[in-house]
Amino acid sequence: MSLVRPDRRRVLQGLGATLLLPAFGARTWAAPAGRPAITDGIQAGDVMDGRALIWSRTDRPARLLVEWDTQASFRSAHKAAGPVTTAAQDYTARVDLAGLPADQQIFYRVRFEDLDTGALSEPVAGHLRSAPTQRRDIRFVWGGDTVGQGFGINPDIGGMRIYSAMRERRPDFFLHSGDTIYADGPVPAQLTVEEGRIWRNITTEAKSKVAETLDEFRGNYRYNLMDTHLKRFNAEVPQVWQWDDHETTNNWSPSKTLDDRYQVKDIKVLSGRARQAFLEYAPMRGVSADGAGRIYRKIAYGPLLDVFVLDMRSYRAGNDSNLGSEEGGPGAFLGAEQLEWLKKGLQGSTATWKIIAADMPIGLQVPDGKDAQGQARWEAIANGDPGAPKGRELEMADLLRFISRQKIRNTVWLTADVHYCAAHHYHPNRAAFQEFEPFWEFVAGPLNAGSFGPNPLDATFGPEVVFQKAPPQANTSPLGGFQFFGEVKIEGESAVLTVTLRDQDGRSQFTQQLHPMPSNTTHA
C-alpha cells in the first residue's frame, strides 16, 4: 500500500520543468547582453539529511545564487549564495543547501551575479524531493555508460532519449554508475551501423579526439550537457555520481600504457586532469577549493535506504593476471581504507536496505588484453579462475565474510560497465568460496553507447544468471534497442524492494521482488 498518493506525486514532480517562475530578486537589468549566462543547465546531487547540492555553470567570473521554497510561487523563498567561480573551475559552481524540510517538494532556481557589474543572469528553475525521515515509498533509477563508442547526440532521433524514459518514471534520484563521459571516445559526424544505417552526431572540437588537456576533459562533460533530454532530466531528477575508467581512458590503472592516439604518455598526469574535470562537473559535495575530493561516500536516504557509493578506480593496483595470493597487495581494488570504511558503514547502518553501488560487477569476467608474457590481464574483480579467491577476489571474499559474520542483512549490489542488463544471484552452495550469505547483483546500461555482452561468469562466488539481455552483435548502436536502465522501488509500508530492468523506452524487461530480512540489532 502506497503511503504517498501517486497522482499527487506525479503532478508535483512535473511542476519544476513547466512553471514560469518569478524573477530571482528585486533587481532587473536593461542590458541582457551584459548579463552572465547559464551555459549548461543545472543539477541537484547527493540529496540526504535535509541537504541537497546544487550545481551550475556560467560564462564568466560570477557568484552562484540559489533560492528555494516548498511552493512554486517562491513566496517564502530561502536564499543561498555560493562561491565565486572563475576560469580555474571552468566557471562551474555549487551550493550545498541545508535545512531542507524532510520529504517535501523543493522548488529551486539558479542565477549568477556578475562580479564587476552586479548583473544577474536569467533564472533557471529546477525541482527535487528532499530525503525522508519517515517510511515512505522510494523510487530511484540507475545506469551507466553515456556517449560511448562514438554514439553521441543524434539529432535524427532527438538526442539521448533514454534520459526522458528515466525521467518519466518520476524517480526520487538517479545513480550514475560510472562512465559519465567517454574521454577516450571521439564523436565523428556519422557512423555506419547495423544493417547499413547511418548514425549522425552533433560534433564539437572537444569530442574530435581523445581528451588529454584539462579543457578537453571538461569539453566532454559540456558535450553531454548539450542534450535537451539530459538537461531536462538534470533539472528534475537529483543525481548520485560515481566514476569508472572512461572518465580518463579505457581500462585505466597504474599499469596502463597509453596508445598512439595520446601525446601525453603518463597515466598519472592524464588521470589527474580527468579527476579534476570530473569533480568540477559532478553534482557532489566534498570538493574543496583545490579540486580535491573523495568520490566514495554514503547517501543516507531515510530509514529504508542507505546507498554506499564505491570508487573502484582510484585505489586499485595495476591491471594484471589478478592471481596474487596476498590480500591488500598487488591485488588491491577498493584499497584498505575504502574497504574498512565500507565495513564500518554497513555495520553501523540502521537502514532496512543497503545498496552497494559498484562501478564494476563482481562475478563477470572483464578482460583487459594480455601481458607481455601472453597471460590474460583482468580489468574487474573476477579472474577467470573458478577456484578459491585470488588477486582482487581476496578483498571481495574478506568483505562478504564480514557481512555474513556480522549478520548484516539486506545488501543489494547495483552496477553497470558491461553494456547490457542482467540479474545475478550469488549463493555459497555454488561457490568455491562459501563464507557468505546469498545476495543479488543487478546490471544496467548502457545509456546512449554501444551495446555488448554477455560476459562469462567466474564461479568463485557462485553467481548464476537469472536474467540477461544483450545484443546479437558487439557494439550494436542505440538504434538497435539494447539500451537499458534499472529501477528500484521500495514500498514504504512493507519495505519490499522491487528491481525492474527497463529498455530505452521504459518497457520492463525483468522484475525481481526482494523481501527484507530482519536486521541484526547487535553488532559484534
Side-chain angles (χ1 to χ4, degrees), residues 12 14-22 71-74 107 125:
L12 286 171
L15 286 175
T18 57
L19 287 175
L20 295 176
L21 298 174
Q71 302 295 324
S73 65
F74 286 90
F107 300 89

Side-chain angles (χ1 to χ4, degrees), residues 29-260:
W29 299 90
R35 296 182 179 185
I38 293 177
T39 57
D40 300 272
I42 57 177
Q43 299 181 74
D46 287 7
V47 173
M48 55 183 288
D49 298 333
R51 301 166 67 193
L53 193 286
I54 307 299
W55 176 98
S56 190
R57 181 175 181 270
T58 187
D59 62 349
R60 67 191 68 185
R63 184 179 299 278
L64 175 62
L65 304 174
V66 178
E67 284 187 322
W68 66 269
D69 201 344
T70 56
Q71 302 295 324
S73 65
F74 286 90
R75 290 177 180 172
S76 302
H78 302 259
K79 298 182 179 181
V84 171
T85 183
T86 67
Q89 298 84 39
D90 201 30
Y91 303 116
T92 63
R94 65 200 75 215
V95 170
D96 193 359
L97 303 182
L100 301 179
D103 198 18
Q104 294 289 311
Q105 308 298 327
I106 304 296
F107 300 89
Y108 67 94
R109 55 190 176 187
V110 171
R111 273 190 164 175
F112 281 92
E113 181 182 44
D114 187 281
L115 291 185
D116 295 327
T117 67
L120 295 174
S121 69
E122 291 294 330
V124 175
H127 172 267
L128 60 91
R129 189 178 186 184
S130 57
T133 55
Q134 304 295 322
R135 296 167 70 103
R136 65 135 162 107
D137 290 0
I138 297 170
R139 184 195 307 272
F140 69 92
V141 293
W142 93 92
D145 316 302
T146 301
V147 184
Q149 290 70 51
F151 298 111
I153 302 168
N154 186 339
D156 298 335
I157 62 172
M160 295 192 281
R161 297 187 307 176
I162 195 167
Y163 278 92
S164 282
M166 292 192 292
R167 178 182 55 81
E168 288 167 2
R169 297 305 302 166
R170 304 302 182 197
D172 291 300
F173 62 89
F174 166 59
L175 169 64
H176 201 307
S177 302
D179 294 341
T180 54
I181 60 168
Y182 276 68
D184 60 327
V187 169
Q190 66 179 46
L191 293 164
T192 301
V193 299
E194 54 275 3
E195 300 176 358
R197 289 182 290 181
I198 299 298
W199 174 280
R200 293 199 307 127
N201 285 312
I202 294 172
T203 61
T204 65
E205 183 178 355
K207 291 298 295 181
S208 66
K209 62 180 290 291
V210 296
E212 298 179 88
T213 69
L214 177 56
D215 193 57
E216 287 168 349
F217 282 107
R218 291 164 166 171
N220 275 255
Y221 292 98
R222 295 195 295 265
Y223 178 85
N224 289 8
L225 291 169
M226 293 169 60
D227 184 78
T228 55
H229 296 292
L230 179 56
K231 288 174 88 169
R232 184 176 179 185
F233 181 83
N234 289 349
E236 295 186 40
V237 182
Q239 318 273 309
V240 177
W241 278 25
Q242 59 191 139
W243 77 338
D244 193 29
D245 57 332
H246 288 285
E247 286 83 357
T248 304
T249 189
N250 183 50
N251 293 356
W252 79 268
S253 74
S255 63
K256 178 72 176 182
T257 299
L258 294 163
D259 60 42
D260 291 341

